[in-house]
Amino acid sequence: MSNPDEESQHQTAPAPAPRVDLEAGQSPAPAQDESFGVGLVIRRWRREDLMRKASLGLRALSLLLSLLSFLIMACNNHGDWRDFNKYEEYRYLVGVAILSALYTGGQTFRQVHQLYFAKDLPPLKHAAAVDFVGDQVMAYFLLSSASSAIPLTNRMREGGDNVFTDSSAAAISMSLLAFLALACTSVIAGYKLSAQSFI
Amino acid sequence: MSNPDEESQHQTAPAPAPRVDLEAGQSPAPAQDESFGVGLVIRRWRREDLMRKASLGLRALSLLLSLLSFLIMACNNHGDWRDFNKYEEYRYLVGVAILSALYTGGQTFRQVHQLYFAKDLPPLKHAAAVDFVGDQVMAYFLLSSASSAIPLTNRMREGGDNVFTDSSAAAISMSLLAFLALACTSVIAGYKLSAQSFI
């Protein structure tokens, strides 16, 4: 499972077409439905490999966007009323961005470690369930924080744009994009979770 | 799938052990792994039946809560500044509550019809995908609208509670509860969607 290339070579050996062999002469004509099953398995491995990479990429993207959101909002202090710390919506956004960065950072680290350094180790027990619940809950938090900050920023911008409202809007956009990335990851994690019991 | 008893008889008929017929003398001892497989299939049917009922119940609950949220907020007009129509957050909440009521109403109707009147019809093509995407998107909308309305209500309540802020808080709570119900349904729909391809 962890090394698709090596295993797919194993699988292609008993093919329907008569071929000599890798080492010595094997039985040349296996049953039709066996090769069909092998094709299914190989396709499934490819799909799982693709999903693993997509999941890693989306989590890394989400980490980047959460960090950006946190940094942009945390630096958004220009004196007087233009201080993010005076508004609960913006404090909520910063808090959720920190949480999201920590969560996606941990997940990315774990996935990279699993993909490149601990290939032969089986995944942790309940990892799929933790992934799914974590992704889903973080996605909900990110959406909630962005949604709560949008009306406040809208109202401030009615009086005219300035560097404070522009930074706020940028941080909100980053949180929303991080939400989109995590929402996609949670769908992949949910698929993995329910496919697990059928292996 | 719609008639478990009939199909389980079908399953036992083509067995590896030699048997005469269903009417005439049956073979008394079926193979060990066959009865194991039948048990698995029956357990799976029970689980699917339970999920179908849980999904229907949660959608009906969500319909009720969305309707309540819509009604409470739509009646929340007490003159002067205490009019929900003057705040974009509350208008957003009402809009999403209407959408959610329409969506969950349609889904509940479809599911009740399928469960009690059209048992033998196969489910619509792509119904599982539509269910999952619809539930997930409606859950996101409900959370977003409730999140955006909470800070405004918080700020108003700092000046003292009155019937307007209390009604707003009630409508927001209903939307949040509807979100929770739909979030659970979307997990069930996601499970169904990914289990589908393995049948």
Side-chain angles (χ1 to χ4, degrees):
Chain A
M1 190 68 70
S2 54
N3 198 346
D5 293 326
E6 193 181 307
E7 289 182 21
S8 71
Q9 281 183 5
H10 263 280
Q11 294 289 338
T12 47
R19 44 167 74 194
V20 187
D21 193 21
L22 291 172
E23 273 89 39
Q26 278 189 353
S27 71
Q32 180 65 29
D33 56 348
E34 188 193 355
S35 71
F36 178 68
V38 168
L40 273 184
V41 168
I42 289 177
R43 220 185 308 155
R44 178 166 179 163
W45 275 331
R46 284 212 190 110
R47 195 174 53 203
E48 278 179 0
D49 194 50
L50 185 71
M51 283 201 310
R52 215 173 289 132
K53 280 176 187 158
S55 166
L56 176 60
L58 283 168
R59 282 208 182 108
L61 182 69
S62 181
L63 168 63
L64 181 74
L65 292 166
S66 306
L67 271 181
L68 273 178
S69 172
F70 159 60
L71 288 174
I72 293 172
M73 191 52 102
C75 298
N76 200 6
N77 187 350
H78 307 277
D80 199 20
W81 61 272
R82 295 182 297 178
D83 178 2
F84 86 94
N85 209 14
K86 284 184 179 151
Y87 305 94
E88 60 177 359
E89 291 93 331
Y90 293 159
R91 290 200 302 270
Y92 180 38
L93 191 89
V94 168
V96 170
I98 293 176
L99 267 185
S100 167
L102 287 177
Y103 170 76
T104 48
Q107 283 278 20
T108 309
F109 174 78
R110 187 183 65 83
Q111 254 182 314
V112 167
H113 187 260
Q114 182 119 37
L115 208 59
Y116 295 106
F117 300 106
K119 281 182 179 177
D120 300 330
L121 291 179
L124 295 172
K125 213 178 168 188
H126 303 306
V130 171
D131 279 11
F132 173 65
V133 174
D135 285 357
Q136 191 81 73
V137 169
M138 275 320 309
Y140 285 142
F141 267 120
L142 281 167
L143 177 65
S144 165
S145 68
S147 297
S148 73
I150 286 173
L152 180 67
T153 312
N154 258 2
R155 213 158 279 149
M156 281 179 182
R157 291 182 99 168
E158 280 171 11
D161 289 352
N162 56 42
V163 65
F164 180 66
T165 56
D166 284 350
S167 298
S168 306
I172 293 169
S173 310
M174 296 295 142
S175 275
L176 273 183
L177 290 174
F179 151 71
L180 282 181
L182 265 187
C184 294
T185 330
S186 84
V187 171
I188 297 178
Y191 176 80
K192 271 190 198 162
L193 178 63
S194 48
Q196 203 180 30
S197 57
F198 292 99
I199 289 173
Chain B
M1 188 61 73
S2 54
N3 199 345
D5 293 325
E6 194 180 308
E7 285 185 22
S8 72
Q9 283 183 3
H10 262 278
Q11 294 282 342
T12 50
R19 44 170 70 199
V20 188
D21 198 12
L22 288 173
E23 274 86 46
Q26 284 189 351
S27 69
Q32 181 65 32
D33 55 349
E34 187 199 356
S35 69
F36 178 69
V38 169
L40 273 185
V41 168
I42 289 177
R43 220 187 307 157
R44 177 167 180 164
W45 276 330
R46 282 211 192 112
R47 196 175 53 203
E48 277 178 0
D49 194 48
L50 185 70
M51 284 202 308
R52 214 172 290 132
K53 278 175 188 158
S55 167
L56 175 60
L58 283 168
R59 283 210 182 106
L61 183 68
S62 182
L63 167 64
L64 180 75
L65 291 165
S66 305
L67 270 181
L68 272 178
S69 173
F70 158 61
L71 288 175
I72 293 172
M73 191 52 101
C75 299
N76 200 5
N77 188 350
H78 307 278
D80 202 18
W81 60 271
R82 296 182 294 178
D83 177 3
F84 86 94
N85 209 15
K86 285 186 178 151
Y87 305 95
E88 59 177 0
E89 291 93 330
Y90 293 158
R91 289 200 303 269
Y92 180 37
L93 192 90
V94 169
V96 170
I98 294 175
L99 267 184
S100 168
L102 287 178
Y103 170 75
T104 48
Q107 283 278 20
T108 309
F109 174 77
R110 188 183 63 84
Q111 255 182 312
V112 167
H113 188 258
Q114 182 118 37
L115 208 61
Y116 296 106
F117 302 105
K119 279 183 181 178
D120 300 329
L121 290 179
L124 294 173
K125 214 179 170 190
H126 304 303
V130 171
D131 278 11
F132 173 65
V133 174
D135 285 358
Q136 190 80 73
V137 169
M138 274 323 306
Y140 285 141
F141 267 119
L142 282 168
L143 177 65
S144 167
S145 68
S147 297
S148 73
I150 287 174
L152 179 68
T153 314
N154 259 2
R155 211 158 281 149
M156 280 178 183
R157 291 182 98 169
E158 280 170 11
D161 287 352
N162 56 43
V163 66
F164 179 66
T165 58
D166 284 351
S167 298
S168 306
I172 293 169
S173 312
M174 296 297 142
S175 274
L176 273 182
L177 291 174
F179 151 71
L180 282 181
L182 265 188
C184 294
T185 330
S186 84
V187 172
I188 298 177
Y191 175 79
K192 270 190 200 162
L193 177 62
S194 48
Q196 202 182 29
S197 57
F198 293 100
I199 287 170

